[in-house]
Amino acid sequence: LRRVLPFPLIILSLSLSLSLVSFAEEPPRLEITADSLTLSEDWSAVNAEGHVVVRYGESSIAAQLLELSRADPFWEVSARGEVELHTNDISARGEELQAELLEDDGGRLSLTEAELVGFSGESRELRYNGGRAHLLFGEGLEQVKLSAGAQIEYRGGSLQAEEIIITKGEGERWIAEARGEVALKEEGRTTTADRLELRFDVEGGRFHAEVARVDSFSGEGSFINSRGEEHLLRYQGRRARLSFDEENRVKVLNIAQGSFTTCDCSEVIEKDAYCIDADRVLIFTDDLLVATEITLRAFGLPIFWYPLYLAPLQEERKSPLLPELGRSGARGWYAKWRLPFILDERNYGFLLLDYFNRYRQFGGGLDLKYDFLGNSGSLYLYKLFGTLGLVELSLTDRTLLPQGVMLDLAANYRSTVEERAEGERMGYRARLSGEGFGWKWNLSFSHDRYVGKPKEGEELKYRTLDRLPELSLTHSARRLGPFSYSLGMSWGRYRERKMNGAKPLDESTRFAGTVNLGLKEFSLLEGRLRLRSGGSYRISLYDTATRMEVLAWSPSLNLLPIEGLNLSLNYNYRLVRGRSPFAFDIERQLNRLDLKGNWNLKGLQSNLSTGYDLGRRSFAPLNLDLRYRLGISTTSLGLSYDLNKGRLRQITLRETLAGARWSFSANAGYNFIDGRFADLIAKLALGRFRLGLRYDLDKLALKRLSSELSFEFGEDWALSLAGEYDLSTGRLTTFQYGLVRGFCHSCWEIGLYGNQGRWWLQARINAFPTAAIKYSPTDRQLAFGG
């Protein structure tokens, strides 16, 4: 055979049921493949070398060197060199293998236990690693014991320890016990402990972690707060219970006798700039942190005790860490408490308790977030008793009813309105909505009321409007060749109070029917020319013997002749017959052609727009905006030209310079109709210094200044000042200040804050943002970031 085969070694395959040679014992049901094979006459010993593969049933063992010895009814297996073990439950690899096979009365072999050195393996969605592994088998894999750098990896995380024992429980459930330098890791979070017990199941071949218990543990994880900042949360405790979501991420961390901090200036949590000790800490991952019977410590010293602490991780808190103390010009000295409470991670809130000493006033209320039995929403209710009393209510609620029906409730009310309130609305709304058979329906009751001043450029059509009720039906769009169509109808009873009307109230029912038609977009000239169109017809009938019909049509043409140039021509036609007794649904005649264009070319951007009113036979102003960017400079030029009278209307110029930590902008203009210059608005931001000014170019006089400035004294102290000064009246129109003492890179801080007529003292943990009064000048054009 050696002379005939060209290979240096002989590949010999033996079927152990072969009867060419007579043996004293019946051979076992083994199939062995090897480069060389030595058998004892009574089958009590088998030695195989070189590419050894031993198959028994549906399982196999592969190695470079393998020895089998029989001790009835067991077979002892010893293998070395590139060892591989494959069963129905696990695939394993190692450097050495010691195993035991059990032979039944029928001669069939099954694996009872195996020990591997330099172990790695896979079992469904689990991956194992360890310096040594001990496997126990029954009807299948029953236990895996890993030691010497044990690790298991699964979808979503991993578990490391000095020793890990994984034991099969009932059904598809398993229990993993880890001891010694335990580390449970997932993306953005690590938990270390002396001991851990993890329960999981493998259903349908997918690994799912259920719950874990840890002893003497610590951990850390990152989260994104409401400002979009990433922060580190460190925690520790005597013991904890971890619950997992469907992606095997920790969703709830329940800590007994623990502490936490968001500072990292000390390796020991208790000695950091601040930490909170608690009898129990609940961390709902990326959502909420709750602690009971807390003691706030600063550098290890206890300074405050509270029965409950609650911090949303991704929402801005409406209450500070400590009770807020201060002084109000209108109500004198005050103290504000926000007492948190919680039912579960979806139902929590604050009890509000305030006291003002000038009139001995008490205030109380509730700030609640809830989600239970298909209901979700929020409720804010507050009442201040006595002189200058106040009532506030804000409610949003959503309830899922049977058959997919949704009930939405909302209310917004305040008994007094701030002088500077703009475009604010109050009222209530109740709406039922659902869909079926291609139709969507809404039934709503509502009361809507404008309060305060209108926003700049906003036209208020009514002061109050009631829907008593309103029912609407809309049919989803359907295709008919190149066309699409949809139907809609509504019925309602309305009561309206106009902004300026002879009648105090208008009340009527209205029935409206609508048909919408659309034409899909057509492309010509390889997509450079695009045409689309749409139209609608609506008829409204009122019980005041009036009716209104509205026919609308709006085709558009879009042209892209060259790269970077886009021209569009839009025609809007609206024919109105009759009239509505209400202002909220008033429609006006329209017959207008609009032209728009924009061109982008290597730093130069231009926009052009104009229009022609076919009904009035007049042009809309021709507006041209040019913007050129070169390096740190951006220059913008705006021109408005009256096509009817053939003259310039207005010119505006804006220059912006921006560097790494500074920026400057200035804009001004000239109105040719009035023959006046627009005020020069200039803004400078230099690090923590900001300055804005308004300059009258006609009178060559400075009108208004707005400034924001913050200083840092060392690493811990900061002072911020902001104000606006009106030179025409010679007084401050607004002023705000803050003196802050920060700790551990401003991990937490105590600040004294104030504005005109009020000051207050507040402590903040900056990882959990607290709602604060932000500086805003009365002159909006002098504000930064807007």
Side-chain angles (χ1 to χ4, degrees):
L1 286 175
R2 289 182 182 274
R3 288 193 298 270
V4 172
L5 295 177
F7 303 99
L9 297 177
I10 300 173
I11 299 177
L12 178 62
S13 298
L14 296 176
S15 174
L16 296 184
S17 60
L18 192 64
S19 59
L20 296 178
V21 181
S22 296
F23 293 98
E25 297 286 343
E26 182 71 18
R29 296 185 179 180
L30 284 171
E31 181 181 324
I32 303 177
T33 301
D35 291 347
S36 67
L37 185 64
T38 302
L39 308 174
S40 65
E41 185 177 357
D42 60 356
W43 284 99
S44 61
V46 177
N47 293 322
E49 293 184 22
H51 306 94
V52 183
V53 178
V54 176
R55 296 182 177 86
Y56 55 96
E58 297 181 358
S59 303
S60 66
I61 300 173
Q64 291 300 318
L65 179 63
L66 184 140
E67 296 179 0
L68 282 169
S69 60
R70 187 171 190 172
D72 222 10
F74 294 100
W75 285 80
E76 301 292 337
V77 182
S78 178
R80 295 190 302 277
E82 301 178 9
V83 177
E84 293 186 12
L85 171 66
H86 298 282
T87 73
N88 289 332
D89 298 306
I90 190 171
S91 295
R93 291 166 294 280
E95 300 170 2
E96 299 181 13
L97 167 71
Q98 300 292 326
E100 185 179 75
L101 299 173
L102 174 64
E103 184 177 359
D104 63 14
D105 295 338
R108 290 181 295 271
L109 295 167
S110 60
L111 186 64
T112 59
E113 64 178 299
E115 186 165 339
L116 293 99
V117 177
F119 168 78
S120 64
E122 298 91 26
S123 176
R124 297 179 182 178
E125 286 197 341
L126 275 175
R127 294 182 297 277
Y128 310 91
N129 286 284
R132 186 175 294 272
H134 189 205
L135 313 179
L136 292 179
F137 296 84
E139 295 182 358
L141 182 63
E142 299 286 346
Q143 186 182 82
V144 178
K145 181 178 180 180
L146 306 174
S147 58
Q151 175 178 316
I152 61 173
E153 297 179 2
Y154 52 86
R155 177 174 49 89
S158 67
L159 175 63
Q160 301 174 5
E162 292 179 354
E163 180 183 75
I164 301 176
I165 302 175
I166 305 171
T167 306
K168 193 175 190 306
E170 296 181 0
E172 294 295 324
R173 281 184 166 78
W174 295 75
I175 298 175
E177 295 184 54
R179 300 185 183 93
E181 299 182 6
V182 179
L184 179 66
K185 297 182 178 181
E186 58 181 294
E187 184 179 357
R189 183 181 304 275
T190 300
T191 302
T192 60
D194 292 340
R195 180 181 176 277
L196 176 143
E197 180 184 291
L198 171 65
R199 290 191 311 181
F200 63 92
D201 61 33
V202 184
E203 186 175 353
R206 291 182 64 82
F207 174 91
H208 176 229
E210 293 179 341
V211 66
R213 291 181 173 85
V214 293
D215 294 330
S216 300
F217 82 103
S218 64
E220 61 182 38
S222 59
F223 66 93
I224 306 296
N225 67 12
S226 60
R227 294 176 182 168
E229 304 165 339
E230 184 175 356
H231 287 271
L232 185 69
L233 178 65
R234 302 166 61 206
Y235 46 84
Q236 64 183 20
R238 285 187 57 188
R239 60 185 181 277
R241 186 177 188 271
L242 290 71
S243 302
F244 298 82
D245 60 16
E246 293 299 323
E247 299 300 321
N248 301 315
R249 288 176 51 87
V250 175
K251 67 176 181 180
V252 182
L253 181 57
N254 189 336
I255 305 171
Q257 297 180 345
S259 56
F260 64 90
T261 183
T262 53
C263 294
D264 59 357
C265 292
S266 174
E267 292 184 2
V268 181
I269 289 179
E270 296 93 330
K271 296 182 179 180
D272 222 320
Y274 93 88
C275 82
I276 294 179
D277 296 339
D279 179 66
R280 184 167 297 277
V281 180
L282 290 170
I283 302 174
F284 301 94
T285 304
D286 299 331
D287 189 22
L288 183 68
L289 184 148
V290 182
T292 61
E293 297 185 28
I294 71 163
T295 299
L296 173 64
R297 296 181 182 272
F299 302 100
L301 300 176
I303 60 173
F304 187 76
W305 181 90
Y306 219 49
L308 180 66
Y309 177 77
L310 188 151
L313 300 182
Q314 291 187 339
E315 295 180 2
E316 191 172 78
R317 288 162 49 85
K318 294 183 179 179
S319 61
L321 173 63
L322 302 177
E324 183 180 310
L325 304 174
R327 189 179 188 280
S328 167
R331 296 187 172 93
W333 295 92
Y334 68 83
K336 295 185 176 184
W337 285 270
R338 299 294 184 265
L339 303 175
F341 64 90
I342 182 169
L343 302 177
D344 55 42
E345 71 273 23
R346 293 186 178 89
N347 298 275
Y348 59 87
F350 299 87
L351 295 175
L352 316 180
L353 296 175
D354 297 343
Y355 175 72
F356 299 88
N357 82 319
R358 174 163 294 177
Y359 304 108
R360 296 183 179 179
Q361 290 176 283
F362 286 93
L366 175 69
D367 188 358
L368 173 67
K369 180 179 179 180
Y370 61 90
D371 186 352
F372 66 95
L373 300 178
N375 285 67
S376 62
S378 62
L379 170 65
Y380 179 84
L381 178 63
Y382 179 81
K383 180 172 177 59
L384 180 63
F385 297 88
T387 307
L388 302 176
L390 175 68
V391 177
E392 290 183 284
L393 169 66
S394 178
L395 168 70
T396 60
D397 178 87
R398 169 163 282 201
T399 305
L400 180 61
L401 302 176
Q403 305 301 318
V405 177
M406 189 68 69
L407 171 63
D408 290 285
L409 301 174
N412 185 27
Y413 172 76
R414 188 169 63 251
S415 59
T416 60
V417 181
E418 297 179 5
E419 293 182 1
R420 295 176 62 180
E422 295 184 354
E424 194 167 344
R425 302 167 77 167
M426 294 185 188
Y428 60 83
R429 184 192 73 222
R431 183 180 66 187
L432 283 168
S433 60
E435 60 180 293
F437 305 103
W439 289 86
K440 295 181 180 180
W441 60 271
N442 284 280
L443 176 64
S444 62
F445 295 79
S446 68
H447 172 75
D448 190 18
R449 178 166 65 99
Y450 280 99
V451 295
K453 300 179 295 183
K455 293 182 180 179
E456 186 177 348
E458 181 182 24
E459 179 186 0
L460 302 184
K461 294 182 177 181
Y462 56 85
R463 178 59 69 183
T464 63
L465 176 64
D466 295 285
R467 290 175 167 85
L468 307 166
E470 180 183 60
L471 172 65
S472 64
L473 295 170
T474 57
H475 195 278
S476 55
R478 291 192 174 184
R479 286 284 179 186
L480 186 63
F483 298 95
S484 64
Y485 69 93
S486 63
L487 306 175
M489 61 187 71
S490 67
W491 175 91
R493 184 163 187 85
Y494 307 90
R495 182 186 297 137
E496 181 186 78
R497 185 185 300 275
K498 293 182 173 59
M499 298 298 297
N500 297 300
K503 293 183 180 179
L505 286 174
D506 288 307
E507 185 171 353
S508 172
T509 58
R510 183 195 71 172
F511 172 81
T514 305
V515 178
N516 297 296
L517 295 173
L519 177 67
K520 76 173 185 178
E521 184 177 271
F522 284 95
S523 295
L524 301 172
L525 303 176
E526 298 180 348
R528 296 184 180 275
L529 182 64
R530 300 172 185 172
L531 172 67
R532 58 180 179 273
S533 180
S536 65
Y537 172 76
R538 177 164 71 97
I539 182 171
S540 301
L541 305 175
Y542 306 89
D543 65 4
T544 56
T546 60
R547 60 187 287 169
M548 182 177 66
E549 295 178 78
V550 181
L551 177 65
W553 181 46
S554 55
S556 65
L557 189 66
N558 189 247
L559 178 63
L560 296 87
I562 59 175
E563 185 177 356
L565 178 60
N566 189 339
L567 299 173
S568 63
L569 185 65
N570 302 285
Y571 177 64
N572 290 285
Y573 177 79
R574 188 188 304 129
L575 175 65
V576 181
R577 291 183 177 177
R579 60 179 296 273
S580 167
F582 300 112
F584 79 91
D585 70 339
I586 193 169
E587 295 283 0
R588 294 184 174 89
Q589 300 272 10
L590 183 64
N591 190 6
R592 181 185 174 96
L593 193 64
D594 291 301
L595 173 67
K596 294 181 179 180
N598 59 74
W599 189 19
N600 297 317
L601 180 63
K602 293 184 178 180
L604 176 64
Q605 179 180 344
S606 62
N607 293 281
L608 179 145
S609 65
T610 186
Y612 183 71
D613 192 320
L614 296 164
R616 298 180 179 179
R617 299 180 181 274
S618 65
F619 285 97
L622 173 65
N623 296 314
L624 176 63
D625 294 314
L626 299 172
R627 183 179 180 185
Y628 182 70
R629 182 171 183 176
L630 179 63
I632 63 172
S633 171
T634 302
T635 304
S636 301
L637 175 66
L639 297 172
S640 180
Y641 187 82
D642 190 335
L643 292 172
N644 299 302
K645 297 182 178 180
R647 65 176 182 176
L648 273 174
R649 297 177 70 248
Q650 188 174 357
I651 182 171
T652 59
L653 180 66
R654 178 181 177 87
E655 180 68 27
T656 302
L657 302 171
R661 292 179 55 83
W662 66 275
S663 66
F664 173 78
S665 66
N667 62 276
Y670 185 77
N671 190 315
F672 291 91
I673 306 299
D674 299 332
R676 294 176 56 86
F677 284 98
D679 289 343
L680 170 67
I681 304 296
K683 299 179 187 179
L684 172 66
L686 187 61
R688 297 176 179 271
F689 173 70
R690 293 180 174 181
L691 176 67
L693 61 87
R694 178 183 288 273
Y695 189 83
D696 190 330
L697 293 174
D698 289 312
K699 298 179 180 180
L700 298 178
L702 186 63
K703 296 174 64 176
R704 186 164 296 188
L705 283 172
S706 178
S707 178
E708 301 174 49
L709 179 62
S710 61
F711 304 92
E712 289 187 355
F713 304 98
E715 297 182 356
D716 302 325
W717 288 92
L719 173 66
S720 62
L721 300 170
E724 183 184 59
Y725 185 75
D726 191 326
L727 281 83
S728 62
T729 60
R731 66 182 183 88
L732 284 170
T733 56
T734 183
F735 178 68
Q736 188 170 312
Y737 63 87
L739 178 62
V740 177
R741 171 66 162 91
F743 303 91
C744 184
H745 314 299
S746 294
C747 172
W748 78 286
E749 61 188 31
I750 296 177
L752 175 65
Y753 305 91
N755 55 24
Q756 288 180 314
R758 179 188 173 195
W759 66 265
W760 65 98
L761 185 67
Q762 196 175 85
R764 299 175 182 172
I765 296 176
N766 289 323
F768 311 133
T770 302
I773 298 176
K774 298 180 180 179
Y775 170 72
S776 176
T778 57
D779 190 333
R780 287 188 174 183
Q781 288 186 296
L782 299 181
F784 284 80

